[in-house]
Amino acid sequence: MTTNFGSLISRLGSDKSPRSDAAALSRVAELKAAAVKSNVDAADIACLDNAEVVTLLAGIDAGSPYLRMLVNRDPALVLSLLRDDPDVRLHNIVLQLQALAEACPTNAAGFRQLMSEARRLKCEAALLIAFADLGGVWTVDAVMQALTRVADCAVQTGIRYLFRAAAARGAWLSTDETSPEADSGFIVLAMGKHGAHELNYSSDIDLIVLFDRDKARVREGVEPQQLFVRITRDLVRYMQERTSDGYIFRTDLRLRPDPGATQVAMSTNAALSYYESVGQNWERAAMIKARVIAGDFEAGQSFLDELGPFIWRKYLDFAAIADIHAMKRQIHAYRGFGAIAVTGHNLKLGRGGIREIEFFAQTQQLIAGGRQPELRVRQTCAVLDRLLERGWIESHVRYELQAAYGKLRWVEHRLQMVADEQTQTLPRDPEALTRFARFCGFDTVEAFEAHLREILETVQSHYAALFEDVPELTKDGQNLVFAGNQDDPDTLAALSRLGFAEPSRAIEIVGNWHRGRYRATRSAAVRERLTVIQPHLVTALADTIDPDAALLAFDRLLAQLPAGVQFFAVLRANPALLRLIATIVGSAPRLAEVLGRRRRVLDAVLDPQLISDALPSRDELTALLDQALAGSEDLQTSLDRVRILGSEQSFLIGVRILAGMISAAEAGLAYARLAEAIIAKLHAVVVDDFVIRNGRIAGGESVVIAMGKLGGGEMTAASDLDLILIYDAPADAVPTGGDRPLTVPEYFGRLTQRLITALSAPTAEGQLYDVDMRLRPSGQKGPLAVRFASFETYQKSDAWTWEHMALTRARVVAGDPSLAKRVEAAIGAVLTSPRDRESLARDVREMRARVAKEKGTDNIWDLKQVRGGLVDLEFTAQFLQLAHAARTPEVLHQSTLQALSNLDGAGHIGDRGPDLIEAGRLLHELTQILRLCFDGPFEPERAPDGLKRVICDIANLPTFAHVETHLKDVQATIAAAFDHFVQSQAE
């Protein structure tokens, strides 16, 4: 064999050649035997006796299953690669690859041939580059250039072939048969390492595909985008589909504008519009490396020139730098979070890794490149040279970072040669790490670790110095990065730890904010403010009942906002307000729904003065309702307007509860006061509308009695309305002026149904309340509207004890004042009538037993039904009121807590009074917050820490465990009181 001066063999001699072992040396001998059997020229086989060739091949055999496979598959190819000059051989591979575009027929069989031949040439190039790299023939830069050259050529060949195929189909009107893609307006940009001529050994290639619609020469009837999308998809298939011959390059198109919402090929006009309006800082950084590699080079360069002002800004504020810095997924490295451990370290993304060198260079490019065009270069080491020339860095920094970059890329190439995988993570398994260290030319793992750790620590120190004044974009040590086109693994893990069940979905949602999907986030100023607050926002949302639901609710809120600058500015300035908003959207579904639908309530939340104002009185609420209903043209309009005002006022009550501004008692009264005002107003509106349609009954009047939580002034966000409608009219009265004759019972029955509908029917503006009329005399069997005389007779003679218990909470809240006084007098007479205490106690005990059988539970967080819960508390208060009201009517009060206080003041509870009242107060406080935050039952094991802290504050106890212990004691106190006052009386 005649050895050329420039042959690969003649240039072997790396001081870091892969280490081998006896088994690998033995397999090299087997390779020589296989070559002999394949009738390879004896002179060529002789090169396998070369000591340096044996060292290289044995090291490959020991350290790289992928390269071993390529070597064993074609010994003759191995020998020819060793014999030839590697630069000449690479050039020939590129020429052969280029020739395929015209050599392969433009049909299905030809496409398969193209894929097969291109894959064969890629494998040849991969083996050649590995030999030149591992043998120390080429520098790291030469290796990256060679890989990039092959990738460029592979893409160019695919594009040329696909345009030839489109022309053969008649879809593309070619003017150049040799280069049909030339002057086509079709542009392929290489991004990232590909664009910078810095591809790694098993790299994906990142492409952006664009087209200039005005230059598209398509057949009439062919839509340019459809054709170019097809070409792009076929290109990806040609490049990365795995066949028996392997693949060429894995191809990623996700760096294009808004990849979740755009086609794989998009027009240059659409792309420019995107970048100029909502382009993100990480996209500016990515475009630094953009390079036209295929298609219409002139159109591509014109696009990049036009994009220049987006990439290279004259001025760049600090928030934008923070946004760029957020792309570094180990952003907290410089703050001392953890030490560098070589085992399992990520050479690219880990501390001191390749990404830190790239960002060190890119960030300073973005800062100064707008004013200093000489900084606008793609290659990392070239940027460092220019930074030194312009005085941005010192010479030792440039030297150390360039040396580190070369060494890290050198190790990265070897790591990817092991199994042809796109990985930058060193092995965790000790045995695998030992093999890899030897593949890198080190005799021991310890030597390899010492060498690598020194590099990583050097890089980290320089990166830390550059970013030491950047604000922390993480929270509580959590890594939260939402920039970029791929999900950051550490952010996925952090979101999972925070409680997000769908972390990838969370990244997508926050990423969409940065992409300007909503009006509120379309300006750069908004997105920069968002970058600063987003870790605090996300962790606040995570601290709610359901983090995923909270994030979706906040997303809906953001989608409704017309602008976001003031919103995010206020949240940034007021962390407590940010937590309150997060609590609303994450813990109180009813409030979140209102917040999303009614923007003016957000103004109220953001206005500290408004939210601190006192709760409106009944008269003030009535005035607000009158103002809202002014000018209403019909009943439906009135109902909608009442719903708007009602939901907004209820929302503000809920916000005050969450903010800790009002107590449970105040909240219960506020909700009840709002409901009373609405009932009174709608009663009047419905009566007026009903009279128009059905006439008026002379001397006929009606009132609405509130029962249950509304009657007791103890409503919650989830309370329904327990109502009774009482009417009175002369015996011989008939409606006059209506369209249809109705009897008096029919008249008031239909009026009652209209009132129920007005209060409960959902409209376009939502629903006000659920209405329950079952507490009327005879319950569901009785008429909806009850004549006063019937009501009075029934309560005196026929009512059950439980109905009188319910009557302790009855109040007239709407209707004719004269009839209201008569009804209240009748109720008072019933409640103050003498009773047999033992018989009363027996009835109460039986009723409690019936309730316990149907709804009993031992769950202490079922605050109503559990033994010692609200049912026992209310039954105790109602029993004691009925037992003592005949002699001391002043004990009567619709509120359970106030009734207990009255009973205590009258001496009817003894020394149990203070503890019982305090126990009831805690149950009411907890009920308010849980009804506000939960639609279903409270499950402590699923509750977020934020809500548990609120519960601890309510109970004035340090931990949730203390709260649960105290709650059991409280329920025991109430149960003991019930047993003492009711159970003992019945025995």
Side-chain angles (χ1 to χ4, degrees):
M1 180 185 73
T2 302
T3 303
N4 297 324
F5 178 79
S7 69
L8 199 150
I9 289 177
S10 67
R11 294 159 65 180
L12 291 174
S14 171
D15 62 346
K16 283 291 184 291
S17 297
R19 301 297 192 260
S20 60
D21 52 31
L25 290 169
S26 174
R27 285 191 289 272
V28 173
E30 294 173 3
L31 175 67
K32 182 175 181 180
V36 171
K37 289 182 180 179
S38 301
N39 296 318
V40 176
D41 186 270
D44 287 346
I45 294 174
C47 76
L48 291 176
D49 294 326
N50 181 294
E52 289 181 332
V53 170
V54 171
T55 297
L56 174 64
L57 294 178
I60 286 173
D61 188 280
S64 170
Y66 169 67
L67 294 176
R68 182 197 311 147
M69 179 271 295
L70 294 181
V71 167
N72 292 335
R73 187 166 69 183
D74 193 346
L77 174 64
V78 171
L79 298 178
S80 69
L81 292 175
L82 292 169
R83 180 191 61 216
D84 289 350
D85 180 291
D87 299 282
V88 174
R89 185 60 175 263
L90 181 68
H91 180 68
N92 289 334
I93 291 172
V94 169
L95 290 178
Q96 293 176 61
L97 190 53
Q98 289 173 338
L100 292 176
E102 296 181 21
C104 297
T106 55
N107 54 31
F111 188 63
R112 290 193 296 271
Q113 178 186 346
L114 173 74
M115 292 174 65
S116 177
E117 291 296 319
R119 280 155 176 74
R120 179 186 62 78
L121 289 169
K122 165 62 191 309
C123 288
E124 182 177 328
L127 195 54
L128 171 68
I129 293 168
F131 285 170
D133 188 351
L134 293 169
V137 176
W138 283 345
T139 64
V140 171
D141 184 64
V143 170
M144 294 187 297
Q145 292 280 357
L147 289 164
T148 302
R149 187 178 176 189
V150 173
D152 284 358
C153 183
V155 174
Q156 291 161 8
T157 296
I159 292 298
R160 180 162 296 176
Y161 175 87
L162 292 168
F163 267 88
R164 284 185 61 236
R169 295 193 307 271
W172 181 251
L173 304 178
S174 177
T175 59
D176 185 344
E177 293 184 4
T178 303
S179 304
E181 78 283 3
D183 198 31
S184 63
F186 186 82
I187 304 163
V188 181
L189 300 179
M191 307 294 291
K193 288 182 169 60
H194 188 185
H197 293 93
E198 294 173 341
L199 276 182
N200 49 48
Y201 188 78
S202 184
S203 180
D204 296 354
I205 60 171
D206 294 295
L207 305 178
I208 293 178
V209 179
L210 306 166
F211 63 89
D212 184 341
R213 187 180 294 273
D214 294 335
K215 297 185 71 175
R217 298 188 304 276
V218 295
R219 186 188 70 219
E220 186 177 353
V222 173
E223 166 58 37
Q225 183 166 39
Q226 291 180 355
L227 175 62
F228 292 141
V229 166
R230 175 177 176 177
I231 289 174
T232 304
R233 288 175 176 165
D234 287 343
L235 173 68
V236 172
R237 180 187 169 198
Y238 150 77
M239 292 291 292
Q240 73 174 20
E241 183 176 292
R242 289 183 180 271
T243 70
S244 58
D245 299 303
Y247 67 98
I248 306 175
F249 285 93
R250 291 176 298 269
T251 304
D252 193 334
L253 300 175
R254 289 177 294 176
L255 281 180
R256 70 184 185 275
D258 201 358
T262 58
Q263 291 277 19
V264 292
M266 66 186 303
S267 73
T268 52
N269 287 339
L272 287 169
S273 176
Y274 169 87
Y275 288 124
E276 290 168 358
S277 59
V278 297
Q280 300 173 60
N281 283 311
W282 73 263
E283 290 172 303
R284 297 179 52 236
M287 292 304 297
I288 289 176
K289 296 181 181 290
R291 177 172 61 90
V292 187
I293 63 163
D296 189 333
F297 280 78
E298 183 179 346
Q301 191 55 53
S302 176
F303 172 82
L304 291 178
D305 291 343
E306 195 167 355
L307 198 62
F310 164 72
I311 306 170
W312 308 109
R313 294 180 184 171
K314 206 166 188 180
Y315 305 102
L316 191 66
D317 64 28
F318 192 79
I321 296 298
D323 193 16
I324 296 163
H325 188 50
M327 287 186 290
K328 180 66 179 69
R329 59 181 200 89
Q330 294 291 354
I331 191 170
H332 54 270
Y334 64 89
R335 296 189 182 275
F337 286 84
I340 293 174
V342 173
T343 301
H345 194 76
N346 189 304
L347 296 173
K348 176 182 178 181
L349 303 172
R351 298 172 179 86
I354 296 166
R355 183 60 62 86
E356 288 188 353
I357 302 173
E358 293 172 339
F359 271 67
F360 181 96
Q362 281 182 323
T363 304
Q364 293 179 90
Q365 278 185 286
L366 289 173
I367 294 171
R371 300 183 303 278
Q372 300 174 8
E374 58 270 25
L375 294 178
R376 302 174 189 179
V377 293
R378 298 185 181 94
Q379 290 177 287
T380 302
C381 290
V383 177
L384 294 170
D385 287 335
R386 300 292 176 86
L387 289 172
L388 174 63
E389 292 169 6
R390 297 295 303 183
W392 285 87
I393 60 175
E394 297 182 12
S395 60
H396 76 281
V397 175
R398 187 274 305 267
Y399 172 79
E400 290 177 358
L401 288 179
Q402 285 184 340
Y405 186 76
K407 291 173 183 177
L408 289 173
R409 296 304 304 272
W410 185 89
V411 176
E412 179 188 39
H413 289 322
R414 280 149 183 74
L415 187 60
Q416 295 180 354
M417 287 177 189
V418 172
D420 189 29
E421 294 176 342
Q422 170 68 337
T423 181
Q424 287 87 17
T425 302
L426 294 168
R428 293 185 179 277
D429 176 69
E431 184 178 341
L433 185 60
T434 298
R435 283 197 304 271
F436 181 68
R438 290 177 60 79
F439 188 54
C440 290
F442 292 86
D443 293 321
T444 66
V445 169
E446 290 74 19
F448 173 67
E449 287 183 330
H451 173 77
L452 194 58
R453 185 177 287 108
E454 181 181 1
I455 298 169
L456 297 171
E457 289 175 350
T458 298
V459 173
Q460 187 183 29
S461 66
H462 291 307
Y463 185 77
L466 180 65
F467 289 109
E468 61 186 358
D469 294 325
V470 173
E472 185 178 2
L473 298 179
T474 62
K475 184 74 169 61
D476 300 329
Q478 301 284 6
N479 182 43
L480 296 172
V481 176
F482 298 92
N485 69 315
Q486 297 181 0
D487 290 352
D488 168 49
D490 277 10
T491 300
L492 288 171
L495 290 171
S496 293
R497 287 193 298 272
L498 285 170
F500 287 90
E502 298 183 79
S504 185
R505 174 67 173 142
I507 291 176
E508 179 186 1
I509 290 171
V510 178
N512 284 340
W513 302 344
H514 286 282
R515 295 183 188 99
R517 290 281 177 84
Y518 303 140
R519 285 178 300 170
T521 62
R522 283 179 186 161
S523 76
V526 170
R527 295 194 298 275
E528 286 163 3
R529 286 178 171 86
L530 173 61
T531 295
V532 175
I533 72 163
Q534 73 185 12
H536 305 280
L537 173 62
V538 171
T539 49
L541 293 170
D543 216 10
T544 58
I545 297 168
D546 184 341
D548 297 271
L551 182 59
L552 285 171
F554 188 85
D555 183 61
R556 288 193 295 271
L557 167 63
L558 206 55
Q560 296 291 325
L561 294 179
V565 173
Q566 179 186 4
F567 179 61
F568 286 120
V570 171
L571 294 186
R572 181 180 178 184
N574 192 338
L577 183 59
L578 186 152
R579 290 192 297 272
L580 176 60
I581 294 290
T583 302
I584 290 171
V585 299
S587 301
R590 294 174 182 83
L591 301 187
E593 182 183 0
V594 176
L595 190 61
R597 286 192 293 110
R598 309 193 191 288
R599 289 199 298 270
R600 72 182 188 184
V601 301
L602 180 61
D603 295 335
V605 176
L606 297 179
D607 183 352
Q609 182 61 42
L610 181 58
I611 199 63
S612 63
D613 285 347
L615 288 163
S617 66
R618 169 72 182 269
D619 289 342
E620 288 170 331
L621 287 170
T622 300
L624 288 173
L625 285 164
D626 288 339
Q627 182 180 353
L629 293 178
S632 293
E633 298 175 356
D634 51 36
L635 179 60
Q636 186 60 50
T637 302
S638 297
L639 297 184
D640 285 340
R641 292 183 180 182
V642 171
R643 276 156 176 73
I644 292 172
L645 188 138
S647 62
E648 290 175 353
Q649 290 298 319
S650 179
F651 172 87
L652 294 177
I653 297 170
V655 170
R656 288 175 166 92
I657 296 172
L658 288 176
M661 299 169 57
I662 57 176
S663 67
E666 292 170 321
L669 284 172
Y671 280 126
R673 190 183 303 128
L674 174 62
E676 291 169 28
I678 288 173
I679 292 168
K681 179 56 62 177
L682 285 182
H683 179 263
V685 168
V686 168
V687 167
D688 289 344
D689 182 75
F690 196 78
V691 166
I692 294 173
R693 300 173 186 273
N694 298 281
R696 182 182 300 280
I697 295 179
E701 299 293 350
S702 63
V703 296
V704 180
I705 301 176
M707 310 285 284
K709 295 289 188 184
L710 172 58
E714 297 167 345
M715 287 185 68
T716 69
S719 293
D720 56 11
L721 304 181
D722 291 298
L723 303 178
I724 300 174
L725 187 135
I726 305 295
Y727 70 89
D728 201 14
D732 56 352
V734 293
T736 59
D739 298 332
R740 294 178 55 195
L742 297 172
T743 66
V744 170
E746 286 177 334
Y747 184 94
F748 285 103
R750 293 189 183 185
L751 175 64
T752 303
Q753 186 61 64
R754 293 287 181 86
L755 178 61
I756 295 172
T757 299
L759 289 167
S760 63
T763 74
E765 298 297 339
Q767 182 183 20
L768 281 171
Y769 303 100
D770 287 323
V771 176
D772 191 339
M773 305 289 289
R774 289 176 296 177
L775 290 180
R776 67 187 186 272
S778 300
Q780 292 179 323
K781 296 179 181 179
L784 276 178
V786 182
R787 190 184 288 270
F788 171 69
S790 298
F791 173 79
E792 188 175 32
T793 300
Y794 179 86
Q795 294 294 346
K796 287 181 179 179
S797 307
D798 301 319
W800 297 77
T801 297
W802 68 265
E803 291 178 290
H804 286 176
M805 293 169 64
L807 210 60
T808 62
R809 312 184 78 178
R811 288 187 300 122
V812 176
V813 294
D816 177 66
S818 175
L819 179 58
K821 290 181 180 179
R822 295 163 61 202
V823 169
E824 288 171 347
I827 292 172
V830 171
L831 295 180
T832 56
S833 61
R835 299 174 188 273
D836 178 74
R837 187 178 177 112
E838 291 187 7
S839 176
L840 175 65
R842 186 179 302 108
D843 289 346
V844 174
R845 186 185 77 169
E846 290 176 357
M847 183 179 174
R848 182 65 184 99
R850 190 179 306 117
V851 172
K853 183 177 180 180
E854 295 178 1
K855 302 180 180 181
T857 178
D858 57 1
N859 177 9
I860 63 171
W861 288 103
D862 186 340
L863 300 176
K864 181 176 181 180
Q865 299 295 344
V866 71
R867 186 77 170 94
L870 287 172
V871 170
D872 280 332
L873 183 75
E874 292 166 0
F875 276 26
T876 301
Q878 291 162 5
F879 165 78
L880 291 172
Q881 287 180 88
L882 293 177
H884 296 288
R887 293 186 298 278
T888 52
E890 64 271 16
V891 300
L892 291 173
H893 199 280
Q894 293 87 359
S895 163
T896 300
L897 293 181
Q898 186 58 53
L900 288 171
S901 179
N902 293 350
L903 288 161
D904 184 43
H908 296 312
I909 307 182
D911 58 4
R912 296 177 182 269
D915 289 343
L916 189 59
I917 293 169
E918 189 58 36
R921 185 171 291 114
L922 176 62
L923 289 190
H924 278 85
E925 294 277 1
L926 293 175
T927 298
Q928 279 290 359
I929 195 68
L930 295 183
R931 290 290 181 270
L932 186 67
C933 296
F934 285 90
D935 282 325
F938 174 62
E939 300 175 11
E941 62 277 5
R942 293 184 61 246
D945 291 339
L947 182 59
K948 288 182 177 180
R949 284 196 297 271
V950 172
I951 291 173
C952 289
D953 291 342
I954 288 172
N956 196 27
L957 291 169
T959 69
F960 190 75
H962 284 89
V963 173
E964 293 201 303
T965 299
H966 181 56
L967 182 58
K968 293 175 184 177
D969 292 341
V970 162
Q971 290 168 349
T973 296
I974 294 172
F978 178 87
D979 290 345
H980 175 77
F981 293 115
V982 181
Q983 189 78 13
S984 61
Q985 290 291 329
E987 292 176 347

